[in-house]
Amino acid sequence: MSAMTDPTVIHLRRGRTSLVLDARGPGLPRVVHWGTDLGPVPADDLPALLDATVPPVVPSSFDAPTVLSLLPEASAGWSGRPGLAGHRAGRDWSTAFRLNRLDVDDPDGAARVAVRATDPDAGLTLTVEVTLDPVGVLTVRHRLRNDADQPYEVRELTPVLPVPAVATELLDLTGRWCRERAPQRHPWPHGAWVREGRHGRTGHDATLLLVAGTAGFGFGHGEVWAVHTAWSGDHVTVAERRPTGESTLGGGELLAPGEIVLGPGEEYATPLLYAVHSTAGLDGLSDLLHTHLRARPGHPRTPRPVTLNVWEAVYFEHDLDRLRTLADRAAEVGVERFVLDDGWFTGRRHDRAGLGDWQVDADVWPAGLGPLIEHVRGHGMQFGLWVEPEMVNPDSELFRAHPDWVLTAPGRLPLPWRHQQVLDLANPAAYAHLLDRLDALLTGNPGIGYLKWDHNRDLTEAGHAGRPGVHAQTMAAYRLLDELRARHPHLETESCSSGGARVDLEILRRTDRVWASDTNDALERLSIQRWTGLLLPPELVGTHIGPGRSHTTGRVHTLGFRAVTALFGHHGIEWDIVAIDAAERAELTAWVALHKRLRPLLHTGRAVRFDHPDPAVQAHGVVAHDRSRAVYAVSRVATSVTQVPGPVRLPGLDPARRYAVRPAQGVPEPDAMQITGPGWLPAVTLPGSVLATVGLHLPALNPEQALLLEVDAVD
């Protein structure tokens, strides 16, 4: 943080990022610069920098410069989307906040600014909290307090940040069930590009990051700015470019009418808006976010256990002997965590009944879960269990006893979805019942060390006490997860929501990994995992080897292709490995062993993705931070127009060191490779500069084949 002779002229520096704020005016501070580190700008030069960036007064406009502050206001001349929209029975709909306190400090290596401003006429106090962490990740949160005697309805409160005019393209993600994280990009036009999530959960179509960048930016090149709205309910993320010249990125909670009404003295806080900038393309953004996440006190520190989830092996057909045999085979291939999925609780023989009745089904499990837990733990494996606590089937004892414990619009139930409704966790009685049942389950079965926490429907017509209830439901779900962690501190939890419909940085404050998608089709997973990795490091993303024929798409893939795809993440298996032959089991064992050998690198290194000119080739890798080693996967996702797709460059290596490159050892190479020329040598040694600039011609793989390369520095 630069020294300040004037406390209203602020320059924060962390990592490779600078943030400059101008707090000299009577209103809220404006963001002068957010992006590339400006270096140690002398304090005496900062006022000149601020003066040089004040917008000019132009003809046919206001008589004073229009100021885009930390909260855009019409009273300051802003004609775009408002930072705050609200009213008090039709009054106090426009604000003019005046700065009355500004604090700057730098505890724990992070630079923090707290801005407090008031509008006495509107009866409101606004606090803006800005933090720039040690690696350069910026977070912004607004807090709004009602100081008047009458209620104030908040309709929107959205943090925004300016982006320079050189950012001319936008990229974000969309998707659906089993097709999450589909990228889309386009020029950034005038107007607002608004991404709204109205699912009551983060959503399959949620954009993990909304990215603005210079023309043609890619994974390894271009200057980029991005934001992420850390919220698991309804939300909005927006990019806006005004004809007046300003460009902004922002995001916050999407509020329904009447959802947030502040009584006297009450306060509303926005979700955290995460903001990152890089001059090294999308991989630069990911590097910052991954480093930030890995520095969290609650980030997983132990090796991520290879997990077998039984869903695609047995579905609802639970049988102790069959599951014991499955656990035996799992232990033989190297599995470290065994997860019993849906079907263990009362009345749950299909997906139309039982949700809400969280007691072990005595007909299927007459001795309880204990015998299976003991068998699994006897193999040295951890035991996990599937739950879906926020949901209820109408065909359940809980619903029959408490139909009033459901999120509803007055007088009717929402349309059913997977034969289920949503429990109203903001109802104190429903919340207490659910907490007691989950606590009793974990206390009575101390061998359960992991919950796969599912959430299989959108929240539609989600009403609480006659008013919109998504905000209250989301906050209650957070409290429930927090309380269970407090009572069972060694419990790990996975966020699963019909696959990847609840993936955001706020749910990940309470969970230890996410399930990226319900599809284990390796071809679909290549893209899903590639773009999930834009936000999350590999160790937080569940990646499993599924059956040879995918149950969601019907595609058939070799074990090698499935294994290479699943290698780069929190590795696991979702497959009936009792039914496979000895040769396939031996190959699976080799792949699991390879993952364990590479796991220290995969779960700590820097993720890189390739900008290959041929769309039929997809490649990615992980490079150690000291650049002593790396592992890369090269996959063919389709046939190519050209016979040979061109060399594959290996990014991230030290250009001054020499590296030995070879196919991964200990596992079969892809069969039926189209070898051209002399074929693939057992190993090649070249400088990192050559590997990154010229690259290597690899064997011409058939579609839906993959090659895994290990790279080690030799000097």
Side-chain angles (χ1 to χ4, degrees):
M1 185 163 55
S2 297
M4 294 179 295
T5 56
D6 181 350
T8 63
V9 180
I10 302 167
H11 180 201
L12 308 181
R13 298 176 59 213
R14 290 294 184 272
R16 296 180 292 276
T17 302
S18 277
L19 177 71
V20 181
L21 299 176
D22 180 359
R24 298 177 301 176
L28 289 163
R30 71 181 178 100
V31 179
V32 175
H33 171 78
W34 160 51
T36 302
D37 181 21
L38 300 179
V41 179
D44 292 342
D45 288 346
L46 285 172
L49 168 64
L50 271 53
D51 292 341
T53 57
V54 174
V57 176
V58 297
S60 302
S61 185
F62 295 103
D63 295 334
T66 300
V67 176
L68 173 61
S69 72
L70 284 168
L71 184 80
E73 296 177 285
S75 60
W78 179 248
S79 58
R81 289 174 59 90
L84 169 63
H87 67 101
R88 200 186 310 276
R91 297 178 293 106
D92 302 329
W93 49 269
S94 182
T95 59
F97 284 105
R98 291 297 176 259
L99 180 67
N100 59 22
R101 181 167 181 171
L102 190 150
D103 297 311
V104 183
D105 60 11
D106 55 351
D108 306 322
R112 293 188 174 91
V113 179
V115 177
R116 189 175 70 183
T118 58
D119 183 343
D121 294 332
L124 298 170
T125 293
L126 177 74
T127 301
V128 183
E129 301 164 352
V130 179
T131 302
L132 188 62
D133 86 342
V135 299
V137 174
L138 183 68
T139 56
V140 183
R141 189 198 299 275
H142 293 333
R143 298 183 186 273
L144 185 71
R145 189 182 71 214
N146 179 17
D147 297 328
D149 295 333
Q150 300 300 315
Y152 181 87
E153 180 184 357
V154 182
R155 291 293 289 113
E156 181 174 352
L157 185 58
T158 306
V160 299
L161 290 164
V163 176
V166 295
T168 58
E169 292 186 12
L170 294 176
L171 179 143
D172 60 356
L173 307 175
T174 184
R176 58 174 175 79
W177 178 70
C178 285
R179 191 64 173 83
E180 297 90 338
R181 317 298 169 233
Q184 53 186 13
R185 64 187 294 169
H186 54 82
W188 190 352
H190 285 147
W193 176 256
V194 182
R195 294 297 312 280
E196 293 183 343
R198 298 179 181 271
H199 304 286
R201 51 180 174 171
T202 318
H204 293 99
D205 61 343
T207 179
L208 297 187
L209 291 181
L210 175 56
V211 183
T214 52
F217 69 84
F219 286 113
H221 65 279
E223 189 173 10
V224 284
W225 295 257
V227 294
H228 167 79
T229 305
W231 182 245
S232 310
D234 291 345
H235 62 279
V236 60
T237 309
V238 59
E240 184 170 18
R241 171 158 281 171
R242 302 294 303 152
T244 48
E246 305 94 342
S247 299
T248 56
L249 295 176
E253 186 176 6
L254 185 63
L255 296 170
E259 189 161 19
I260 299 294
V261 178
L262 300 178
E266 291 184 339
E267 181 181 273
Y268 167 72
T270 68
L272 278 176
L273 180 73
Y274 283 77
V276 282
H277 164 267
S278 169
T279 56
L282 297 172
D283 281 353
L285 298 180
S286 296
D287 191 30
L288 289 173
L289 288 162
H290 296 181
T291 303
H292 168 85
L293 290 167
R294 286 168 172 168
R296 300 173 302 160
H299 191 77
R301 304 295 174 196
T302 58
R304 300 293 76 211
V306 176
T307 298
L308 184 137
N309 190 76
V310 308
W311 176 244
E312 293 192 35
V314 301
Y315 296 101
F316 290 107
E317 298 176 8
H318 286 199
D319 174 82
L320 178 58
D321 289 338
R322 183 179 180 186
L323 288 163
R324 278 173 167 162
T325 303
L326 184 58
D328 294 340
R329 299 292 86 77
E332 290 172 7
V333 302
V335 167
E336 298 162 307
R337 175 185 283 160
F338 184 93
V339 179
L340 183 66
D341 209 285
D342 196 356
W344 57 269
F345 47 96
T346 301
R348 191 66 168 179
R349 306 277 60 79
H350 44 67
D351 67 359
R352 298 182 295 280
L355 280 177
D357 298 339
W358 299 109
Q359 296 89 19
V360 178
D361 193 317
D363 293 336
V364 180
W365 300 93
L369 297 177
L372 180 61
I373 295 173
E374 292 172 9
H375 189 80
V376 167
R377 290 175 63 84
H379 280 298
M381 296 186 291
Q382 302 172 27
F383 184 85
L385 193 66
W386 180 94
V387 293
E388 193 176 2
E390 297 153 82
M391 302 294 161
V392 63
N393 287 126
D395 185 2
S396 67
E397 294 304 317
L398 179 65
F399 183 88
R400 284 185 279 271
H402 298 286
D404 55 318
W405 285 6
V406 174
L407 285 171
T408 64
R412 62 177 178 271
L413 283 175
L415 288 172
W417 182 312
R418 205 173 179 243
H419 315 289
Q420 63 194 53
Q421 297 289 344
V422 186
L423 281 177
D424 182 1
L425 299 189
N427 180 317
Y431 179 93
H433 170 81
L434 192 54
L435 176 60
D436 287 347
R437 286 304 316 140
L438 292 172
D439 183 43
L441 175 68
L442 295 169
T443 301
N445 296 277
I448 300 173
Y450 175 84
L451 291 180
K452 179 181 177 181
W453 189 295
D454 215 336
H455 182 282
N456 272 314
R457 68 158 291 166
D458 283 1
L459 276 58
T460 53
E461 289 197 304
H464 166 73
R467 291 171 56 180
V470 170
H471 174 85
Q473 179 78 3
T474 307
M475 296 298 291
Y478 290 159
R479 289 197 305 274
L480 181 60
L481 285 160
D482 290 343
E483 180 60 28
L484 279 176
R485 178 66 60 89
R487 296 187 184 188
H488 305 275
H490 301 297
L491 179 72
E492 289 199 2
T493 308
E494 173 182 28
S495 174
C496 176
S497 186
S498 312
R502 190 150 69 175
V503 177
D504 62 80
L505 292 188
E506 193 60 33
I507 199 67
L508 270 163
R509 290 164 62 91
R510 298 158 172 86
T511 55
D512 301 279
R513 80 170 203 169
V514 300
W515 186 230
S517 179
D518 275 347
T519 185
N520 284 311
D521 179 314
L523 186 62
E524 299 293 334
R525 272 287 186 144
L526 269 175
S527 179
I528 292 168
Q529 292 167 195
R530 183 181 188 83
W531 293 101
T532 303
L534 191 62
L535 179 68
L536 302 183
E539 64 270 22
L540 295 182
V541 182
T543 57
H544 291 189
I545 300 173
R549 178 181 293 276
S550 168
H551 87 144
T552 58
T553 66
R555 284 198 188 100
V556 176
H557 290 131
T558 65
L559 175 53
F561 186 66
R562 286 140 54 209
V564 172
T565 301
L567 190 76
F568 290 79
H570 186 165
H571 191 53
I573 302 166
E574 197 136 350
W575 182 17
D576 185 4
I577 58 174
V578 174
I580 64 178
D581 61 29
E584 201 165 24
R585 191 174 300 124
E587 184 181 349
L588 177 62
T589 303
W591 283 110
V592 171
L594 176 66
H595 172 81
K596 290 180 179 179
R597 178 167 66 80
L598 296 174
R599 182 166 54 188
L601 168 62
L602 294 172
H603 292 176
T604 63
R606 183 174 184 268
V608 294
R609 286 149 295 194
F610 300 17
D611 292 303
H612 197 279
D614 190 331
V617 176
Q618 183 167 304
H620 60 277
V622 175
V623 182
H625 285 284
D626 65 2
R627 298 194 284 187
S628 62
R629 58 193 300 243
V631 58
Y632 300 98
V634 181
S635 302
R636 287 292 294 270
V637 298
T639 58
S640 178
V641 174
T642 58
Q643 186 172 4
V644 178
V648 172
R649 297 175 175 180
L650 305 183
L653 303 174
D654 185 340
R657 301 176 77 174
R658 293 175 60 78
Y659 293 90
V661 184
R662 67 184 189 280
Q665 304 298 294
V667 293
E669 292 185 18
D671 56 355
M673 288 191 298
Q674 302 174 58
I675 303 296
T676 59
W680 175 247
L681 299 175
V684 62
T685 301
L686 286 168
S689 58
V690 174
L691 293 170
T693 305
V694 178
L696 299 171
H697 265 304
L698 300 179
L701 300 171
N702 286 321
E704 298 170 33
Q705 286 186 318
L707 182 64
L708 192 67
L709 303 176
E710 291 190 71
V711 179
D712 292 280
V714 295
D715 55 8

